């Protein structure tokens, strides 16, 4: 991968994008209006990963005038996190796990983000809010897993991450911690020795990488992933299905194979949430199912994530499996194979 051009600071305005040749001067006034509604940020590493204006990396970060089209079904809180708020920053939707938004800042601002209305508003969760969240977790022993999210947790300093993980490690009922992050890909230099040392502060930490296209997996990103696996951290990935960016079986097969080569297990492919101004990114569910069916017959099972919908309103995630199984009579099924042929299958009598 050529890394011809790498600015030393993040691009955070339409003027920056125009200066870099990523937006046309004539589009600037419309894009300024988008930027006022939804923050702009493109990290130096992702600028370097853009090969041409309008390519699959650029489209994820460069604003588009279509973002000002807010459709009636789109929601400020698309997955209903606020309906299950147990404390500020803490969402408790499923009995055994919580998500804790430890910061609202990110290294990039993605145009399709389901938290786009709040990302970047403030920085780290305040100490009183963090203390309240940890107290809730400690007095709720059903919570076995704490998922750190944001914003992007790895945009915090190693010192702060180590402190949070150390406090979580002191709660005996918390068995595992998961961090959802885009940092190893969008700001790989942050995954340095201090960061891997900080991540060791919890004995059972899993990291879920957010990545949407193989073009994001630069040499620097793959080196950051290698540092994480060398530190013994198991890696999963989540991808958002995005029209015009990765909505083909071939593009996703390339991404998922590249992830497996980097020792990252594809975990979720998210149907694009109903965030405001994102309809130009959204495929239909039937299109997503057709892509998954094409992948099933074509690539290693290790490469295949679950295609999921976060049901709007806070009702949770469900797999959008295309229908492989039909129950004909109780215990008797018709199973469809990847080529579409039908087979009978029966449970033991
Ligand atoms: C997505 C999510 C989780 C994690 O779900 P998994 O299926 O375990 O990955 C937990 N809590 C909330 C509120 C979520 O949105
Ligand atoms: S929370 Fe994740 S998807 Fe949203 S802007 Fe930040 S990095 Fe992008």
């Amino acid at each position: 991968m050529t890394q011809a051009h790498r600015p030393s600071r993040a691009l955070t305005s339409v003027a920056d994008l125009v200066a870099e040749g990523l937006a046309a001067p004539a589009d600037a006034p419309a894009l300024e209006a988008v930027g006022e509604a939804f923050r702009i940020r493109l990290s130096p590493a992702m600028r370097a990963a853009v090969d041409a204006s309008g390519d699959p990396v650029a489209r994820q970060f460069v604003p588009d005038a279509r973002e000002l089209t807010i459709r009636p079904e789109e929601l400020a809180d698309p997955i209903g996190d606020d309906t299950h708020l147990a404390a500020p920053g803490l969402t408790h939707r499923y009995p055994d796990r919580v998500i804790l938004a430890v910061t609202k800042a990110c290294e990039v601002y993605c145009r399709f983000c389901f938290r786009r209305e709040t990302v970047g508003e403030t920085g780290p969760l305040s100490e009183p809010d963090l203390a309240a969240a940890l107290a809730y977790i400690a007095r709720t022993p059903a919570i076995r897993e704490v998922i750190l999210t944001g914003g992007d947790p790895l945009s915090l300093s190693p010192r702060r991450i180590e402190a949070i993980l150390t406090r979580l490690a002191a709660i005996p009922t918390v068995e595992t911690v998961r961090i959802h992050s885009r940092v190893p890909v969008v700001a790989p230099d942050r995954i340095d020795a201090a960061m891997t040392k900080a991540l060791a502060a919890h004995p059972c930490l899993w990291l879920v990488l957010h990545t949407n296209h193989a073009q994001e997996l630069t040499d620097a990103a793959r080196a950051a992933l290698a540092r994480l696996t060398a530190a013994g951290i198991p890696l999963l990935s989540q991808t958002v299905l995005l029209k015009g960016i990765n909505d083909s079986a071939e593009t996703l097969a390339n991404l998922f194979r590249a992830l497996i080569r980097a020792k990252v297990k594809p975990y979720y492919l998210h149907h694009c949430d109903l965030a405001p101004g994102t309809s130009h990114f959204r495929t239909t569910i039937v299109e997503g199912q057709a892509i998954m069916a094409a992948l099933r017959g074509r690539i290693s099972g290790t490469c295949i994530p679950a295609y999921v919908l976060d049901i709007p309103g806070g009702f949770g995630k469900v797999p959008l499996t295309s229908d492989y199984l039909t129950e004909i009579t109780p215990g008797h099924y018709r199973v469809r194979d990847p080529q579409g042929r039908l087979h009978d299958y029966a449970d033991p009598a």
Side-chain angles (χ1 to χ4, degrees):
M1 167 137 318
T2 53
Q3 307 235 327
H5 180 66
R6 185 162 180 174
S8 56
R9 61 171 189 88
L11 312 177
T12 56
S13 68
V14 174
D16 286 349
L17 296 170
V18 170
E20 286 284 318
L22 295 175
D27 293 338
L31 299 186
E32 295 282 3
V34 177
E36 266 158 44
F38 307 109
R39 282 178 181 72
I40 296 170
R41 190 174 171 92
L42 178 50
S43 63
M46 283 298 96
R47 168 65 190 97
V50 171
D51 288 332
S53 173
D55 77 8
V57 175
R59 280 193 206 191
Q60 295 184 52
F61 308 112
V62 176
D64 184 303
R66 290 174 289 181
E67 291 172 46
L68 293 175
T69 307
I70 314 286
R71 296 192 42 88
E73 69 274 17
E74 293 177 338
L75 307 164
D77 178 23
I79 69 169
D81 280 348
D82 292 348
T83 57
H84 297 277
L85 221 50
L90 187 73
T91 301
H92 192 185
R93 180 194 290 159
Y94 303 104
D96 70 337
R97 56 207 191 279
V98 285
I99 57 176
L100 176 58
V102 288
T103 177
K104 289 195 170 167
C106 303
E107 294 293 330
V108 287
Y109 291 124
C110 310
R111 307 321 299 170
F112 47 83
C113 176
F114 70 102
R115 299 208 178 95
R116 62 190 323 220
E117 299 228 293
T118 54
V119 284
E121 250 172 18
T122 53
L125 196 63
S126 71
E127 173 52 34
D129 285 350
L130 179 61
L134 294 172
Y136 175 89
I137 293 165
R139 69 170 182 268
T140 314
I143 299 169
R144 293 164 181 269
E145 183 181 25
V146 175
I147 301 165
L148 303 183
T149 174
D152 197 316
L154 297 187
S155 67
L156 295 176
S157 68
R159 186 186 50 80
R160 205 180 275 269
I161 289 166
E162 184 164 2
I164 295 169
L165 292 177
T166 302
R167 288 160 83 175
L168 286 168
I171 304 174
T173 44
V174 173
E175 298 168 359
T176 58
V177 174
R178 216 197 295 173
I179 291 182
H180 282 227
S181 177
R182 212 150 161 41
V183 160
V185 161
V186 301
D189 297 350
R190 292 190 65 82
I191 309 298
D192 58 9
M195 188 65 91
T196 50
K197 179 179 166 285
L199 295 176
H202 195 278
C204 189
L205 177 82
W206 288 64
L207 195 143
V208 182
L209 177 72
H210 172 184
T211 180
N212 301 316
H213 197 283
Q215 195 180 319
E216 294 169 24
L217 300 175
T218 59
D219 292 347
R222 283 183 288 109
L225 296 174
R227 291 193 288 278
L228 290 166
T229 55
I233 298 168
L235 302 178
L236 303 171
S237 68
Q238 56 176 343
T239 294
V240 183
L241 180 60
L242 295 166
K243 195 197 269 181
I245 293 175
N246 62 16
D247 61 333
S248 79
E250 193 187 350
T251 303
L252 288 177
N254 284 339
L255 171 63
F256 298 149
R257 285 187 177 128
L259 286 167
I260 286 290
R261 287 197 300 276
K263 302 186 182 174
V264 182
K265 165 74 187 104
Y267 174 50
Y268 277 157
L269 174 67
H270 292 274
H271 189 69
C272 186
D273 290 311
L274 293 172
T278 60
S279 61
H280 54 295
F281 285 125
R282 207 165 300 115
T283 68
T284 64
I285 286 177
V286 166
E287 286 164 344
Q289 288 177 325
I291 290 170
M292 289 303 293
L295 289 174
R296 178 56 69 187
R298 174 169 173 170
I299 61 174
S300 164
T302 60
C303 296
I304 297 188
Y307 175 39
V308 293
L309 173 72
D310 218 316
I311 304 170
F315 301 100
K317 293 182 191 66
V318 287
L320 296 173
T321 40
S322 57
D323 217 3
Y324 290 103
L325 194 68
T326 317
E327 192 171 38
I328 307 298
T329 58
H332 289 258
Y333 307 90
R334 192 137 298 157
V335 190
R336 197 163 52 78
D337 71 24
Q339 280 71 44
R341 293 167 302 205
L342 299 175
H343 307 270
D344 288 331
Y345 181 88
D347 286 334

